[in-house]
Amino acid sequence: MNTGKLAGYMKMVLPILLGTAIYAFGLLYFIIPNQLMEGGVTGVTILLKYAFGISPSLSNLVLNIPLFLLGWKILGGRQIIYTGIGIGSLSFFLWIFEKMIDSGWIKTFETDYILASLYAGVTLGAGLGIVFRFGGTTGGSDIVARILGRKFGFSMGQVILTIDIIIIGLSLFYVATENILYTLVAVFIASKMIDFIQEGAYAAKAFMIISDHAPQIADIITRDMDRGVTLIPAIGAYSKQAKHMAYCVVSRQEIRRLNEIAKSVDPRAFIIISDVHDVHGEGFRED
C-alpha cells in the first residue's frame, strides 16, 4: 500500500476509532451507572450486564457476529471493512473503559438522572454521528439503519430512533419505568446529534426569490452582501408570464439583511427560505 492510499485509509479509520471511543465512554460513564438503557444490540448487551453481570465488551462482540455476516452480504466489501473496524474498536474501547472504571481511574457519573440522560444523548449521538459520517457502523441496528438509508433514503437518526424505541419498550420488563423515561430523553438527543453531524456542523439558508425584479435584487445582493446569486428562468403557471427566480445561499446572520433587500426592491416578491447543510464553496467551506 503506497503512502497516499495509507493516508486516505487512515483519514477514514481514525475518526471511526474516535467515534467508537466516545460512544463507549458514554455507555459506561452515563448509561450503565444510572441504570439507563439503549437500543439495538447495545441495549441487549446492557440488559445482559444488568441481569447477569456479563461484560458489555464481550457480549457486544459475540452478538454482532451474525449481523456482521449480514452486512458483509448486503453492504459490500469496503463498507463491511469499516463496519468490522467499528464493531471491533467499540468492543475494545468498552473493555478499556471497563478496566479504567474497575480500577478507579475513572469515577462514573451517578449524581443526577436528568444530567446523565442529557450528556448520554450528546456523547452517544456524537460518537455514532462521527462513525456514520466516515462510512462505518458499530454493528447492530446501525447496520439495519444504513441498509434502510441506502434503500429508501431514510435518515439514519430516524431509523435508529424507531428501532431504539421498540427495543427500549421491551426492556420495561427489566428496567424501572422512570429510568426508561430518562432513556427516551437520551435517545431523542442522540438521534438529533447523529443527524446534526451527518448533515454538517455548518448550516446555512437558501433563498429562492421569485419576482419581476429578480435581476435588480440579485445585483444589490451581489454588490452589498458580496454573495453570489444565480438567476433561473421561470414561467408563472397561471399568468404564463416569463420572469426570473434568484437563488442565493447565505449564513444565518445574513437572513434579515437579504430579506430587507428583496422587500425593498419588490414588496410583492415571493420568497422561499430553506435549510442548507454542509455548504462548500466560495464564502463558505473551502475543501
Side-chain angles (χ1 to χ4, degrees):
M1 183 181 292
N2 60 43
T3 305
K5 288 184 178 180
L6 179 61
Y9 181 72
M10 294 308 295
K11 284 182 180 179
M12 298 294 289
V13 172
L14 291 179
I16 293 175
L17 297 179
L18 173 63
T20 53
I22 295 172
Y23 185 73
F25 177 80
L27 284 175
L28 294 177
Y29 190 73
F30 295 113
I31 293 291
I32 293 178
N34 292 280
Q35 294 288 300
L36 301 179
M37 268 297 298
E38 245 285 70
V41 169
T42 306
V44 178
T45 65
I46 292 174
L47 283 176
L48 291 174
K49 170 68 174 178
Y50 293 159
F52 306 106
I54 298 175
S55 165
S57 59
L58 175 62
S59 58
N60 177 76
L61 188 61
V62 172
L63 291 172
N64 269 297
I65 289 175
L67 290 171
F68 177 79
L69 296 176
L70 175 65
W72 183 284
K73 180 178 180 180
I74 296 177
L75 295 177
R78 183 174 180 179
Q79 192 107 66
I80 203 62
I81 291 175
Y82 294 131
T83 297
I85 292 172
I87 294 171
S89 62
L90 176 58
S91 293
F92 172 75
F93 284 117
L94 284 171
W95 178 76
I96 289 291
F97 287 126
E98 284 171 0
K99 295 299 182 183
M100 295 177 71
I101 291 172
D102 291 342
S103 64
W105 289 3
I106 297 178
K107 301 295 183 182
T108 54
F109 187 90
E110 304 174 48
T111 305
D112 187 300
Y113 280 127
I114 295 177
L115 290 178
S117 60
L118 292 176
Y119 283 111
V122 171
T123 52
L124 298 185
L128 286 178
I130 293 170
V131 171
F132 293 156
R133 189 177 177 93
F134 287 87
T137 78
T138 58
S141 58
D142 304 347
I143 295 177
V144 179
R146 185 168 290 280
I147 292 172
L148 292 178
R150 174 184 290 185
K151 297 289 186 180
F152 304 104
F154 293 137
S155 155
M156 297 283 289
Q158 290 173 343
V159 174
I160 291 176
L161 176 62
T162 302
I163 295 173
D164 286 354
I165 288 175
I166 293 172
I167 294 178
I168 291 170
L170 296 175
S171 69
L172 282 168
F173 295 102
Y174 306 97
V175 180
T177 303
E178 181 183 9
N179 293 43
I180 293 298
L181 294 176
Y182 283 116
T183 295
L184 292 178
V185 174
V187 169
F188 178 79
I189 294 173
S191 72
K192 295 302 179 183
M193 280 295 298
I194 291 170
D195 286 342
F196 176 73
I197 294 175
Q198 281 279 91
E199 294 168 354
Y202 185 88
K205 295 289 184 178
F207 274 70
M208 290 181 284
I209 305 168
I210 302 173
S211 167
D212 293 329
H213 306 284
Q216 296 95 306
I217 295 173
D219 288 342
I220 298 175
I221 293 172
T222 302
R223 184 186 68 237
D224 293 357
M225 298 183 63
D226 195 26
R227 287 295 188 189
V229 184
T230 300
L231 289 173
I232 303 172
I235 298 177
Y238 177 77
S239 66
K240 308 301 181 185
Q241 294 182 351
K243 58 185 66 179
H244 283 92
M245 178 177 71
Y247 183 85
C248 181
V249 177
V250 298
S251 66
R252 288 175 174 173
Q253 292 79 11
E254 296 172 309
I255 294 173
R256 182 182 180 88
R257 177 61 179 145
L258 198 152
N259 255 320
E260 290 174 346
I261 290 174
K263 290 300 184 182
S264 67
V265 176
D266 183 6
R268 295 172 57 85
F270 188 77
I271 302 174
I272 303 168
I273 306 173
S274 57
D275 289 324
V276 177
H277 299 278
D278 213 4
V279 186
H280 299 260
E282 185 177 353
F284 296 95
R285 287 180 52 185
E286 297 282 358
D287 289 337

